[in-house]
Amino acid sequence: MATELLRADDLSSGYGKVRVLWGTGLAVEAAETVVLLGANGAGKTTLLKVLIGLLPAWSGRIEFGHEDITRLRPDQRVRRRMAYMSELGVFPGLTIEENLRIGGQFVPPAQLRARMAELFETFPALAGKRHALASSLSGGQRKMLGIAKALAADPLLLVMDEPSAGLSPLFVAEVIAVLRRFRGTGLALLIAEQNVAFLDLADRVYTLDGGRIGFSGTVAALHQEDALHRAYFGLG
Amino acid sequence: MLAHAILSGLVFGCYFTLVGLGLNLIFGVMRIVNLAHGDVVMLGAFAAFWLFALIGLHPLISSLIVLAIFALLGLPVYYLVVPRLLAARDSEMLSIILFFGVQQIIEAIATIAFGTSERSIPGRVLGSGPLHLLGQALPVAWVVSAAVSLLAVALVYLYLYRSRVGTLTRAVMVNRDEALASGIDVHRVSALAFGIGVALAGLAGVFSPFMLGSATPAMGGDVNLAAFAVIVIGSLGDPRGTMLGGLIYGVALMLMQTYMSAWANLLPNLLLIAVLLVRPTGLLGRQVRRA
Amino acid sequence: MRRGVREFVTVALPLLAALALAPLFYSNELLLFNFIMFLILAQGLNAIYGFTGYLPFGYVGFFGAGAYGFALAVMHLNASPLLAMACAGVAALVLGVVLTPLLRLSGAYFAIANLAAAQAVYQVISNPALQDVTKGPYGVTLSSVFAPALSYGVALIILAATLALIAWLRNARFGLALQAIREDPVSAAMAGVAVVRGRTIAWLLSALIAGLAGGVFAWHISVFYPETAFDLSFSIFAIVFTLFGGAATQLGPILGVLLLYGLYNVIGITVPQYFQLIYGVLIVLLVLFLPDGLASLATRRGFRVP
Amino acid sequence: MLRRVVVCLLAIACMAGARGAWAQQSRPADERLGGCFDGYLDKAQTEQASAPQPGQPGAPAEIRIGHLHASSGPYASISMPVYLGLKLWVEQMNAGGGAMVKPFGRKLPLRLISYDDQSNPGTAATLTNQLITQDKVDLLIADSGSVLTAVSVPIAREHKMFLFDPTGTGAAFFSKDNPYIALLADPVSTVWPRFLWEFLKSDVAAAGLTRVAILYSTNDFTGTQAASIRAALKAPGSPVQIVFDQGVPTSTSNYAVLIDNIAAANPDVVLELGYVGNDIAFLRNLQESGKNFRMVFTLYPGIETSTLLKNVGQSGLAGVFSYVTALAYSYPPEVGMTLEQFRGSWEKAYAKSGVEFGWNAIAGYVTGLVLGQTLACTDSLAQLDVRKSVFSLSGKLKTLIGTFELNEQGAQIGELTPIGQIAPEGKDGIHFTVVYPPAMASGKPIFGAK
C-alpha cells in the first residue's frame, strides 16, 4: 500500500456564523491524483482553504506526512511541501519570473534556479516573457503560470482550486495535458473541480455536496453510481 | 524667480517624497492608513534634536540611529495592533480611527516629555551658506536633506525590486490573499514593511528642522496633509509614484508661493482631487475605482 | 415601514424628550447643545457610512459650509436665523453636488480625497482675498442673531428629523438596497438596484444634515473663526462616535455619542492634564476590542438593534 | 426689552469706567482707585497684622478663578506659557496667604481651575460654560490665541460674566455693546504696530529706506497688524512705498522661494509678520539664502526671545528689528515682581517643563497681577463691579510690562512696545537696542546690517 500523504478527518468550518463544512474528511496518497468533484457552492473552496490553512478548522484534524498540521499557518504548510493554487493563481502585478520565485520561496537558490529552468522548458510560452508582468498574459497562459508557480515549490502535494475556471474548453484540455505530464513524477494532486473532464486524470474521486463527502472511490466506481453519474454527467 | 521656484520645488519635492514614502509603504502593504505618520515624523525630529542638544551628535549620524531605533519600535507596535486590526471587517477605515488614537497618545506623551516650545537644529550643522546650483542659490541644508531623501528612495526601491523579501513584499501589495495562499508569511513581511515605514518617517523627522523651520509636538497634522497629497498624487503603494508625487507637490507648491502665495496650500488639495478624479489610481497606479 | 415608526418612537422620542428637558436641570447648556450637534453629525455620517460604506473623512467640510452659509446669509442678506438655516443647508447641498464625483473613488482614496476637499473649502473661505465676502481669516461675529434658547430648540428639531430619516432608511426598501450596495456593489447592481442613484441620494442627505448642524452651530456659538468651523476633530469625533456605537443602526451612533462624548467631557473636566492621553488610549482599545461597535455585542447574540 | 435696558445701562457703565479721571472726580475720595491701589501688597500685610475683621459675613472660603489652556495642538505653544505664568502668580499669592479681596476686607486663598481644551474651539466653548455654570467661578480667564478666545466671548457675555482676556487680540472681540471683556496683556492688534509704522515713516524713511515689503501670515493676529501697517504706510503724504505685499498660509514652514520673490521686488525694508514657527522658518531661510535686506523686522524675536535665539541663533538674529517687549526693556513695576525676579521664579519652577520663558509667560503673570488688583479694588464680586474695578486700574497699574491702559471697549492700548534692533552680545547672547520712539531710544538704528 502506498504511503498516505494527506489525511483530513471530520473537518468543520465556515465563515462567521455560517457553517459550510460538516464533518468532511478525505485522504490523498503519495503520487496519487485525486479529484474532488462538486457543484458551485458545494464547499470545495472552503475545504481546500481549510486544508492549506487559509481558514481555521472549527473541529477535526489534518495530517500531512503523518504530522498534525491542523494548527499550522499556510506558510508552514507550504514549507512542508504542500502547494496550493487558488482560482486566481498568480500575482498579476509581478513579472513571470517573480511569480515563480514566490512559488519557490522555500527552495534553496541553486535548486530553484534548476527548477525554474525545468519549468521554462515545460512552459515555453512563459520562457520568452520572463520579465513581462503576469497581467500581460492571456487567461490560458495565466493558468499555466499559476501551475508553474505552484510547481516551483517542488511540492509533494499540489492542491488546485478549479483550474478550469474561466477557461475555454480548448485551454481546459491544455491544462489537463500539462497536469498529465506531472503524474508519475512523484507529485500528488488534489484537484477541486466541477468539470468532469478532469476525471481523466483521477486515480480516485470524492464528491462533495452541501459540505459533506458523498461518494469516494475510483472513477470506474463513480460511473456505476447512477444517481451521481446523472448529477455530474447529465442525462447524456 | 521661475527658475528658482522650480529648482527649489524639485529639492523640496525630494524631501517630501521621503515624508510620504513610509506612509505609502505601510498603506501599500497593509492597506491601512497610518494617521499617526506625521507624529512619528515629529518624534524623529525630537530624537535628532535631543541627540544634537545633549551629545552634539551630527544629524547624519542621528539619522542612522533613528532609522534603527524607529524600525525596532515599529515591530512591537505592528504585532500589538495590526494583526487584530486586519482581522476586522473594514480594516482600511478602522485603521484611520485606530491611528487617530495612536496619534493622540504620541502627541500627549511628546507634550509631556518635550514641552510645547519650538525646537530645531541650527542649519549650519549641515553646512553653511547658500550652495549655487544651476545658477540658483539654495541652502546647503536643503540640498543635503534632499540628497538623503533620494538615497532613502533608492534604497527602498532596491529593497522592493532587488531583494527576495522585497519581491514577497510586492506580492503582498498586489494581493494579500494570494500571498497567503502562496505560502508567504504575510505577517513577517508586513511587520518588516511597517518597521521600515516607521523608520522612514523618523528619518524624515530628522531633517524636518532644516526643511520646515522647527518642530513642535503639534506639527504632525500638517505633515500628514502634505504626505497624503504626495502619495495620492503619485499613487498609493508605489515608491516610484511617491517620487513623482513628491516632485509635483514640491514644484507646484513653490510656484504657487511665487505667484499666488496666499493660495499656496490650496493647490496640493486641488491637485490631489483632480488627479484622483482623472486618474483614480494616481499617476502611476492601479485600479481603485469601484462600480 | 411600521417598524421604522416604532423604532423612532421607542429610541428617538425618549432621547429628544430628555434633551428638551435637560436644560431645566443642568445649566451647562452648551454641553447639551454639543451633545445634540454630535448626535446630528453622527447620524448624518451614519447615513453615508453606515448604509453605503463610504467614510467621509472630510465630513467637516459640509459642516463648515453650513456654518458659513448661515454666517454669510446673516451678514450679507440680513437674513432671519431660520432663513439663514435654509442657506446653511443649501450651501452644504451645493458642496455635496460639487463633490459627487468623489463617489467614484473607493476606500481610503475616497476618505483622503474627501479630506482634501474639506481642506480646500476651508482654504478658500479663510483666504484674505475673500475678506469682503467671508471675512477671510478674521472670523465672523453674528451677535445680532445670537439666541441660545431658540437655536437649541432648532438643533433639537434637526436632530428629530435626522433620527426619523435614519429610522426610515433602516427599514425602507431604499435603505435595505443601500446596505446591499455596501455589502456587494457588483451583485447589488446586477440585482437591479440603481447603485449610483442610491448612493448619491445618501451622500446628499448626509451633506444636508451636516450643513444644518453647521448652521445651527454657527448660530449658537455666534463668534468663530474659519479654523473653528472647519476643525478636523468634528469629522473625527463623528466617525469615532458612529463606529463605536455601531453604524447602520439608529441606536448605535446615539449610544456612541452619549457614552464617548460623555466620557470625553468627564475626562476633560476631571483629569485635564492627561486628557489627550486617556482619550487616545481609549480609542485604540475600542478599535482593537470592539471593531464593529457596541451594536455588534447585541447582533452577535442574535438581537436586532433598532 | 429688558435686555435692551440692560445693554444701555452697561454702555453707560462702560463709558463711566473708561473715563476714569472724570469718574473719580465725581466720587468720594475714599472710593477712588488710589485708596485701594497704592502698594496694596504692603497695605494688605499691615491690614493682616492689624486685625482683619475675621468672619466677615458671606466671605467665601476661596476665590475661584476659571481658566482654559491648550496643552496640545497648534495653540499650545502660545497657551502653555500664559497658563504657567498665571499658575506661578496664583501659587505665589497662596504662599502669601491668598489675595486681598476688598469686599471681605481680608485675604482669601485662590483656587485656579484650568481646563485643557486641546486647541479645540468646540471643547473650549463647552469648558468655558462649565466654568461659569458648574464651577461657578468668581473670575473667568479665556484661553490665549484668538481662535480659542473667540468662542468664550459670547458665552461670557451671555452669562454676564466678565472675561479676562490675556492675549486674544482679535479686534472683533471688543465692541461698545459688550462690557464683559478686557484685554490684559497684549496690545490689541490694530494698535500694536503703531511705533513700527511711525518709525518707518520717520527715521527709516529719512535714512533713505522707502521701499517696504510686507509678508504676513493670513491669520487674525498678523493679518490685522499687516492691515493697520498697510493703511498707515499708504496714508496721504507717506514717504514710504509698499513694493511687495503678500499673505501666506500660517502653516507655511518654508520661505526660501518667498525670500527670493521679495528680493526681486528690491525692497529696502522687509516686514515679516507671523507666528513663532513662521518667524523661525523665515529667519533661518533668510540666513541660509545669502540674501541681504537693509532692514528686516519680525515679531517674535522680541516676544519669545529665548525660543527664537535657540532656533535661529545669534548670527541669524543679529541686526534684525523687532518689538521690544518687557523682556528687553525693563519697566519699574509698582506691583508684582521685576522682570529679573519673575524670570528667576520661572526658571526655578519650570526649567524642565519644556516651555520657554518669553513674553507669553509674562503675559500670564500680568494677567494674574491685574486679577489681584481687581480683587483688591472691587466693591463686590458682582461682575459689573469687577469690570468697574478692572477699568479703574487703567492708566494707573504699572507692572513689569508697563502701564495697563484700556480703551472704552476693553482693548489694551497701553503697554505699547518700542522698536528695537538686535545686536550680538557675548559668545551666543543678544541684546536689544531701542531705536524708537526717541523718548525711549537707547541707540541709533544700523541699517544694512542684514
Side-chain angles (χ1 to χ4, degrees):
Chain A
M1 184 183 147
T3 45
E4 191 172 82
L5 190 59
L6 175 77
R7 168 160 208 99
D9 289 314
D10 201 24
L11 290 180
S12 66
S13 184
Y15 305 89
K17 273 180 296 193
V18 184
R19 186 162 165 172
V20 178
L21 299 182
W22 301 78
T24 319
L26 55 72
V28 179
E29 291 178 0
E32 183 191 30
T33 301
V34 173
V35 170
L36 179 66
L37 206 56
N40 263 335
K44 298 190 300 288
T45 300
T46 309
L47 176 56
L48 296 201
K49 281 186 171 174
V50 173
L51 291 178
I52 193 69
L54 291 172
L55 268 183
W58 294 358
S59 67
R61 179 182 165 91
I62 308 165
E63 278 181 21
F64 187 69
H66 300 292
E67 179 192 5
D68 182 358
I69 60 164
T70 321
R71 301 268 161 257
L72 293 189
R73 295 190 310 262
D75 57 297
Q76 292 168 317
R77 301 187 200 202
V78 172
R79 260 179 210 280
R80 285 161 175 74
R81 297 178 69 189
M82 176 172 170
Y84 172 70
M85 180 185 155
S86 69
E87 243 188 84
L88 175 66
V90 299
F91 295 101
L94 302 186
T95 67
I96 286 154
E97 190 177 305
E98 285 167 345
N99 266 288
L100 296 183
R101 284 185 186 283
I102 288 167
Q105 58 181 308
F106 299 119
V107 178
Q111 223 172 306
L112 179 61
R113 226 170 294 133
R115 184 83 186 154
M116 278 170 57
E118 259 175 60
L119 288 168
F120 280 130
E121 249 173 67
T122 318
F123 301 96
L126 302 178
K129 296 185 166 184
R130 303 170 78 108
H131 298 295
L133 290 183
S135 55
S136 69
L137 297 177
S138 70
Q141 286 174 322
R142 266 192 223 194
K143 206 57 88 174
M144 293 303 168
L145 175 60
I147 297 170
K149 166 174 159 265
L151 290 175
D154 195 11
L156 295 172
L157 169 66
L158 171 55
V159 179
M160 306 177 85
D161 191 5
E162 292 224 28
S164 76
L167 292 186
S168 67
L170 195 65
F171 281 115
V172 171
E174 209 173 305
V175 168
I176 291 173
V178 166
L179 290 178
R180 181 165 284 132
R181 284 160 65 182
F182 285 90
R183 287 188 66 193
T185 60
L187 172 71
L189 288 170
L190 172 60
I191 308 171
E193 259 303 343
Q194 50 182 328
N195 187 334
V196 290
F198 282 82
L199 289 180
D200 289 354
L201 290 169
D203 296 313
R204 281 189 309 121
V205 187
Y206 289 95
T207 65
L208 190 66
D209 192 12
R212 293 179 175 87
I213 294 292
F215 168 88
S216 86
T218 61
V219 180
L222 179 70
H223 282 295
Q224 279 157 20
E225 293 271 341
D226 272 356
L228 283 170
H229 194 266
R230 224 172 295 129
Y232 289 101
F233 297 89
L235 290 170
Chain B
M1 258 165 52
L2 180 65
H4 190 269
I6 292 177
L7 190 66
S8 41
L10 289 174
V11 172
F12 199 71
C14 289
Y15 174 69
F16 262 89
T17 304
L18 177 62
V19 170
L21 197 57
L23 183 65
N24 200 18
L25 188 65
I26 290 176
F27 181 82
V29 175
M30 280 147 269
R31 297 265 138 191
I32 57 177
V33 180
N34 178 11
L35 206 63
H37 180 79
D39 293 82
V40 180
V41 172
M42 176 270 289
L43 287 180
F46 274 95
F49 168 76
W50 286 111
L51 286 173
F52 178 79
L54 295 179
I55 55 173
L57 210 57
H58 193 278
L60 287 176
I61 300 171
S62 310
S63 64
L64 295 176
I65 296 174
V66 165
L67 272 178
I69 291 179
F70 277 50
L72 287 178
L73 285 178
L75 294 180
V77 174
Y78 175 88
Y79 284 106
L80 272 176
V81 301
V82 182
R84 264 201 102 88
L85 178 65
L86 291 178
R89 194 164 57 116
D90 195 355
S91 57
E92 194 168 312
M93 296 297 107
L94 275 180
S95 68
I96 295 179
I97 298 156
L98 178 98
F99 283 101
F100 168 72
V102 174
Q103 177 195 358
Q104 296 293 302
I105 296 172
I106 295 179
E107 194 184 329
I109 292 175
T111 308
I112 293 166
F114 311 133
T116 49
S117 295
E118 286 75 8
R119 307 285 179 191
S120 61
I121 304 170
R124 65 184 145 72
V125 174
L126 287 185
S128 56
L131 190 83
H132 291 273
L133 205 71
L134 304 174
Q136 300 294 325
L138 289 171
V140 181
W142 277 40
V143 179
V144 174
S145 306
V148 171
S149 306
L150 278 179
L151 184 68
V153 175
L155 287 175
V156 170
Y157 183 83
L158 286 179
Y159 169 76
L160 286 177
Y161 287 88
R162 292 286 179 274
S163 81
R164 203 183 71 91
V165 191
T167 310
L168 301 181
T169 309
R170 280 187 297 129
V172 178
M173 284 190 196
V174 170
N175 189 325
R176 192 178 181 88
D177 291 334
E178 182 61 29
L180 273 167
S182 304
I184 295 175
D185 187 346
V186 172
H187 277 309
R188 201 173 61 96
V189 168
S190 301
L192 208 57
F194 192 84
I196 294 174
V198 169
L200 288 170
L203 181 67
V206 172
F207 293 94
S208 70
F210 306 106
M211 305 303 278
L212 309 177
S214 58
T216 68
M219 71 189 277
D222 284 339
V223 172
N224 266 343
L225 290 177
F228 277 142
V230 165
I231 67 175
V232 172
I233 292 170
S235 76
L236 283 177
D238 185 333
R240 292 169 299 184
T242 311
M243 186 84 220
L244 186 65
L247 294 178
I248 291 175
Y249 176 84
V251 172
L253 189 70
M254 294 302 167
L255 286 177
M256 278 303 268
Q257 274 199 355
T258 303
Y259 297 106
M260 294 178 77
S261 64
W263 299 92
N265 282 8
L266 182 61
L267 187 72
N269 288 314
L270 293 185
L271 213 61
L272 184 158
I273 297 169
V275 166
L276 275 180
L277 289 180
V278 177
R279 253 189 87 87
T281 53
L283 292 179
L284 278 182
R286 45 174 200 273
Q287 189 61 33
V288 292
R289 225 179 253 231
R290 69 199 227 179
Chain C
M1 217 37 241
R2 196 166 292 161
R3 186 159 66 180
V5 174
R6 201 175 62 228
E7 284 181 6
F8 181 78
V9 169
T10 53
V11 176
L13 278 189
L15 175 75
L16 292 166
L19 284 168
L21 296 175
L24 299 177
F25 307 102
Y26 182 69
S27 52
N28 189 348
E29 190 196 281
L30 194 64
L31 182 61
L32 297 172
F33 177 84
N34 275 359
F35 266 105
I36 298 179
M37 200 185 62
F38 279 118
L39 283 167
I40 299 172
L41 280 179
Q43 294 292 7
L45 189 106
N46 196 11
I48 181 77
Y49 177 67
F51 291 90
T52 69
Y54 282 90
L55 187 70
F57 205 46
Y59 196 49
V60 69
F62 299 123
F63 181 84
Y68 268 87
F70 183 91
L72 294 185
V74 170
M75 290 190 301
H76 296 296
L77 307 176
N78 246 327
S80 71
L82 291 181
L83 181 64
M85 281 302 299
C87 293
V90 170
L93 264 184
V94 169
L95 182 62
V97 171
V98 171
L99 296 184
T100 300
L102 295 186
L103 292 173
R104 299 198 319 227
L105 305 170
S106 71
Y109 295 82
F110 172 80
I112 294 171
N114 185 229
L115 173 65
Q119 284 287 317
V121 177
Y122 159 67
Q123 281 150 357
V124 170
I125 284 180
S126 66
N127 201 287
L130 295 181
Q131 191 186 344
D132 294 338
V133 185
T134 63
K135 297 250 157 62
Y138 308 113
V140 295
T141 308
L142 307 172
S143 38
S144 63
V145 294
F146 186 58
L150 185 56
S151 44
Y152 187 90
V154 170
L156 260 186
I157 294 171
I158 297 170
L159 175 61
T162 307
L163 288 171
L165 178 80
I166 297 294
W168 170 70
L169 269 182
R170 181 118 173 81
N171 293 286
R173 184 177 298 172
F174 174 65
L176 296 176
L178 282 179
Q179 277 182 289
I181 304 173
R182 174 181 181 157
E183 296 308 321
D184 185 355
V186 178
S187 55
M190 288 193 292
V193 179
V195 175
V196 174
R197 200 177 59 112
R199 85 166 53 119
T200 308
I201 292 174
W203 171 242
L204 294 180
L205 280 176
S206 175
L208 174 67
I209 292 169
L212 292 174
V216 80
F217 173 77
W219 186 10
H220 199 82
I221 202 156
S222 85
V223 177
F224 61 92
Y225 284 90
E227 288 93 329
T228 313
F230 288 92
D231 190 333
L232 189 58
S233 52
F234 284 118
S235 286
I236 293 176
F237 277 25
I239 293 170
V240 170
F241 297 156
T242 306
L243 263 93
F244 170 62
T249 65
Q250 186 186 201
L251 189 60
I254 294 177
L255 287 179
V257 172
L258 294 183
L259 287 173
L260 271 195
Y261 191 60
L263 205 56
Y264 175 84
N265 285 292
V266 168
I267 300 171
I269 288 164
T270 53
V271 274
Q273 64 271 48
Y274 299 111
F275 190 3
Q276 194 181 23
L277 185 62
I278 297 175
Y279 207 61
V281 170
L282 199 75
I283 289 171
V284 169
L285 293 179
L286 285 177
V287 175
L288 289 182
F289 295 100
L290 208 55
D292 293 327
L294 281 177
S296 68
L297 293 178
T299 40
R300 223 181 286 155
R301 287 168 180 75
F303 298 105
R304 185 193 146 87
V305 177
Chain D
M1 191 57 210
L2 181 68
R3 195 164 152 180
R4 198 160 290 174
V5 171
V6 172
V7 168
C8 280
L9 288 174
L10 297 179
I12 293 165
C14 158
M15 285 162 69
R19 296 186 189 154
W22 171 81
Q24 276 168 51
Q25 296 301 329
S26 63
R27 271 186 239 153
D30 61 343
E31 260 191 49
R32 275 193 210 168
L33 175 65
C36 64
F37 176 71
D38 290 332
Y40 92 93
L41 280 176
D42 305 330
K43 194 175 171 222
Q45 269 141 23
T46 46
E47 266 181 28
Q48 188 96 339
S50 65
Q53 306 96 316
Q56 264 285 351
E62 59 188 9
I63 295 292
R64 299 158 76 86
I65 301 171
H67 176 240
L68 297 182
H69 67 274
S71 80
S72 61
Y75 304 103
S77 77
I78 313 171
S79 177
M80 283 308 284
V82 176
Y83 169 50
L84 295 181
L86 175 68
K87 195 161 155 249
L88 195 67
W89 175 79
V90 169
E91 282 160 5
Q92 279 184 351
M93 292 305 278
N94 283 338
M100 181 66 201
V101 188
K102 188 182 158 205
F104 308 110
R106 63 184 176 99
K107 283 190 176 183
L108 290 172
L110 303 176
R111 182 155 158 236
L112 179 65
I113 305 171
S114 186
Y115 293 135
D116 180 3
D117 57 42
Q118 304 188 335
S119 294
N120 180 328
T123 305
T126 348
L127 291 171
T128 304
N129 214 321
Q130 180 76 13
L131 288 169
I132 299 172
T133 63
Q134 303 301 303
D135 300 313
K136 306 213 183 321
V137 295
D138 301 302
L139 303 171
L140 179 67
I141 309 172
D143 202 340
S144 312
S146 295
V147 171
L148 296 173
T149 309
V151 291
S152 299
V153 176
I155 298 169
R157 182 180 178 181
E158 182 202 349
H159 289 92
K160 306 210 173 352
M161 190 78 199
F162 188 76
L163 185 66
F164 290 82
D165 171 9
T167 63
T169 53
F173 305 163
F174 309 99
S175 58
K176 284 187 182 156
D177 61 348
N178 181 11
Y180 291 102
I181 185 168
L183 175 58
L184 307 187
D186 281 3
V188 68
S189 300
T190 41
V191 304
W192 201 346
R194 201 183 82 205
F195 285 146
L196 175 60
W197 74 65
E198 286 179 7
F199 180 50
L200 290 174
K201 287 164 85 169
S202 57
D203 300 14
V204 179
L209 280 66
T210 56
R211 296 169 62 83
V212 175
I214 305 175
L215 178 66
Y216 62 98
S217 302
T218 55
N219 59 64
D220 191 32
F221 177 58
T222 49
T224 310
Q225 296 195 43
S228 25
I229 294 171
R230 182 184 304 123
L233 296 187
K234 280 187 175 167
S238 167
V240 177
Q241 183 194 357
I242 299 178
V243 295
F244 179 98
D245 185 359
Q246 286 204 20
V248 290
T250 310
S251 58
T252 301
S253 53
N254 201 292
Y255 284 83
V257 166
L258 291 161
I259 289 168
D260 193 66
N261 298 345
I262 294 172
N266 197 23
D268 303 312
V269 179
V270 177
L271 313 177
E272 189 272 324
L273 310 169
Y275 276 134
V276 196
N278 301 114
D279 284 7
I280 292 172
F282 173 81
L283 290 170
R284 286 181 64 138
N285 289 160
L286 179 63
Q287 193 184 8
E288 287 159 357
S289 73
K291 295 264 186 304
N292 282 299
F293 302 105
R294 295 185 65 196
M295 171 181 169
V296 172
F297 176 93
T298 71
L299 296 178
Y300 274 87
I303 299 179
E304 295 295 341
T305 309
S306 70
T307 301
L308 265 282
L309 185 57
K310 283 185 182 172
N311 284 282
V312 181
Q314 183 194 46
S315 60
L317 285 177
V320 170
F321 290 79
S322 185
Y323 292 138
V324 182
T325 63
L327 289 167
Y329 191 93
S330 44
Y331 299 85
E334 291 176 2
V335 169
M337 293 184 276
T338 63
L339 179 72
E340 290 69 32
Q341 290 166 335
F342 177 59
R343 186 174 191 134
S345 315
W346 176 281
E347 298 296 350
K348 210 172 119 198
Y350 305 124
K352 291 207 168 72
S353 70
V355 180
E356 289 291 338
F357 179 77
W359 167 258
N360 283 315
I362 299 177
Y365 178 67
V366 168
T367 301
L369 294 177
V370 175
L371 241 60
Q373 292 304 318
T374 304
L375 288 170
C377 295
T378 188
D379 292 333
S380 78
L381 289 179
Q383 293 296 308
L384 284 178
D385 280 342
V386 168
R387 173 195 156 85
K388 202 169 77 186
S389 176
V390 173
F391 275 76
S392 73
L393 303 172
S394 179
K396 309 211 167 41
L397 175 62
K398 292 188 169 56
T399 69
L400 71 170
I401 63 172
T403 307
F404 174 78
E405 191 179 345
L406 299 173
N407 72 3
E408 59 183 7
Q409 286 129 33
Q412 178 61 235
I413 50 169
E415 300 164 1
L416 277 189
T417 44
I419 305 300
Q421 187 173 21
I422 296 169
E425 185 177 77
K427 193 170 145 285
D428 43 27
I430 53 169
H431 79 271
F432 279 86
T433 309
V434 175
V435 296
Y436 192 90
M440 302 169 91
S442 61
K444 289 266 166 247
I446 304 164
F447 297 116
K450 193 80 207 168

